[in-house]
Amino acid sequence: MKFYQTLSSFAIIFMTMVISSCNYAKSNQQVVVSSDCGMSWEKIESGDAVPKGVANPCYMKVVIPNYPMQGDSRFITNLKDKVRAFVHIDYDYSINDPLEFIKQAKFLGKANANADSDGALDATAFEGAENMVIDKRIRDVSKAIFINEDIVELDQADIENKLLESSNKILDPLGVSLNFITLTFDLDDQTRQAIDVSTAMKIYDSKNLSELGKAVIVQKAGAARVVVENKAPETKQVVEEE
C-alpha cells in the first residue's frame, strides 16, 4: 500500500513539474522556433505549447512582440535642383509575418541566451533589425521620391503618404508593415532664406508688385543683422597684500 502511495506521489510531482515547465505562446507574442540552427523556422500559434530544446544544441527560439514598435531613420538626401537636406523620419511598424521577418534578421536568434526563456526580446534587440530590414528600404524609397520634389512646392503630408505606400510595397514581402510615417526636413539658413524669398516673390507677383518685391528683398538682404548677447559681468577677486 505504501509503495502505491509513494508511486502516486511521484506521479503527481512529475506531472506538476511537467505542467509548470510548459511554456505557451501568448497572444501578445509571436513565437518562432528552429531545431536546425536557424536553417528553417516554425511559428507557434497563440495558446499552443512551445517545444523544449532538450539535448539539441541547435535549438533556437525567438519571441517577437506582437504589437507596434517605433523606429527612426536619419540621413542626408538631395531634393530637386540639388538642394541638400537632413531628413529625420519617425515611423511606427508591426511585424506581420515573423517567419519572413526572421529570414531577414536571423541574428535575433542569438539574442536569447536561454532558448527556454519565456519573455519576448527587448525592444533594443530590434535596433539592428530595423537598420538592416527597415531603414535601408526607407532610405532607398525616400531618395527616389525626394529627388523630384521641389523644396518650395512640396506638400509634406502628400510625401509622407507616398513614402508610406511605396515603403510598404517593399517591406510587406519581408513580413513588416509601416503603420505611419512622420517626416521632418532640417535645412540650413541659406536654404531657408531662399525658400522665404521664393515664397515672397510669388505673393508679390500675384499682386502685380514684382518690382517692389525685388526692391524689398534686396533691401532686406543688405540690412545689418544685430545680435544682442547678455553676458553676466565678470567678477574679479582682489587679494590684498600683507
Side-chain angles (χ1 to χ4, degrees), residues 40-114:
S40 61
W41 294 87
E42 175 189 359
K43 180 183 177 181
I44 308 301
E45 299 297 334
S46 297
D48 291 348
V50 179
K52 296 287 185 180
V54 180
N56 183 359
C58 265
Y59 179 77
M60 300 169 67
K61 182 183 76 171
V62 179
V63 183
I64 301 172
N66 190 23
Y67 47 79
M69 291 178 284
Q70 289 72 45
D72 70 294
S73 181
R74 302 167 185 259
F75 56 94
I76 297 175
T77 189
N78 288 325
L79 289 92
K80 190 176 181 180
D81 299 325
K82 297 182 179 180
V83 176
R84 291 174 65 82
F86 184 80
V87 182
H88 183 191
I89 299 176
D90 290 306
Y91 56 85
D92 182 282
Y93 71 97
S94 299
I95 299 174
N96 299 326
D97 190 338
L99 292 178
E100 292 298 329
F101 179 77
I102 199 64
K103 293 178 183 177
Q104 306 296 322
K106 294 181 180 180
F107 61 89
L108 289 176
K110 300 178 182 179
N112 277 330
N114 180 5

Side-chain angles (χ1 to χ4, degrees), residues 1-240:
M1 185 67 178
K2 289 183 179 180
F3 172 76
Y4 288 107
Q5 288 179 345
T6 303
L7 183 62
S8 177
S9 299
F10 277 122
I12 293 173
I13 294 173
F14 176 77
M15 289 300 296
T16 303
M17 291 176 62
V18 170
I19 294 174
S20 61
S21 64
C22 283
N23 183 7
Y24 293 90
K26 315 297 190 299
S27 60
N28 64 339
Q29 298 175 348
Q30 300 184 90
V31 183
V32 292
V33 297
S34 173
S35 59
D36 53 8
C37 295
M39 296 296 295
S40 61
W41 294 87
E42 175 189 359
K43 180 183 177 181
I44 308 301
E45 299 297 334
S46 297
D48 291 348
V50 179
K52 296 287 185 180
V54 180
N56 183 359
C58 265
Y59 179 77
M60 300 169 67
K61 182 183 76 171
V62 179
V63 183
I64 301 172
N66 190 23
Y67 47 79
M69 291 178 284
Q70 289 72 45
D72 70 294
S73 181
R74 302 167 185 259
F75 56 94
I76 297 175
T77 189
N78 288 325
L79 289 92
K80 190 176 181 180
D81 299 325
K82 297 182 179 180
V83 176
R84 291 174 65 82
F86 184 80
V87 182
H88 183 191
I89 299 176
D90 290 306
Y91 56 85
D92 182 282
Y93 71 97
S94 299
I95 299 174
N96 299 326
D97 190 338
L99 292 178
E100 292 298 329
F101 179 77
I102 199 64
K103 293 178 183 177
Q104 306 296 322
K106 294 181 180 180
F107 61 89
L108 289 176
K110 300 178 182 179
N112 277 330
N114 180 5
D116 290 331
S117 61
D118 188 31
L121 291 177
D122 189 85
T124 56
F126 289 89
E127 291 180 0
E130 290 170 11
N131 293 333
M132 294 180 61
V133 180
I134 303 176
D135 286 6
K136 183 180 183 301
R137 273 77 181 186
I138 289 180
R139 292 187 185 192
D140 292 341
V141 172
S142 299
K143 291 179 178 181
I145 293 176
F146 294 156
I147 197 66
N148 298 315
E149 293 292 337
D150 188 335
I151 189 63
V152 179
E153 301 288 345
L154 65 82
D155 183 336
Q156 183 164 328
D158 183 56
I159 293 180
E160 289 175 349
N161 291 334
K162 286 181 182 178
L163 185 56
L164 181 66
E165 182 179 354
S166 299
S167 297
N168 276 335
K169 287 181 180 179
I170 298 176
L171 290 172
D172 280 344
L174 306 180
V176 183
S177 66
L178 301 178
N179 303 315
F180 67 81
I181 282 179
T182 302
L183 176 64
T184 304
F185 288 105
D186 187 7
L187 308 172
D188 57 37
D189 290 341
Q190 190 172 6
T191 303
R192 291 180 185 277
Q193 290 175 6
I195 294 173
D196 292 341
V197 169
S198 178
T199 303
M201 281 306 302
K202 290 181 180 180
I203 296 174
Y204 285 121
D205 290 342
S206 67
K207 303 298 181 182
N208 295 321
L209 298 172
S210 299
E211 295 303 320
L212 176 61
K214 292 178 182 178
V216 171
I217 291 172
V218 170
Q219 185 176 6
K220 183 178 179 181
R225 184 177 180 183
V226 179
V227 179
V228 179
E229 295 183 358
N230 293 324
K231 292 185 177 180
E234 295 182 0
T235 57
K236 295 183 178 180
Q237 185 178 3
V238 178
V239 180
E240 295 182 358

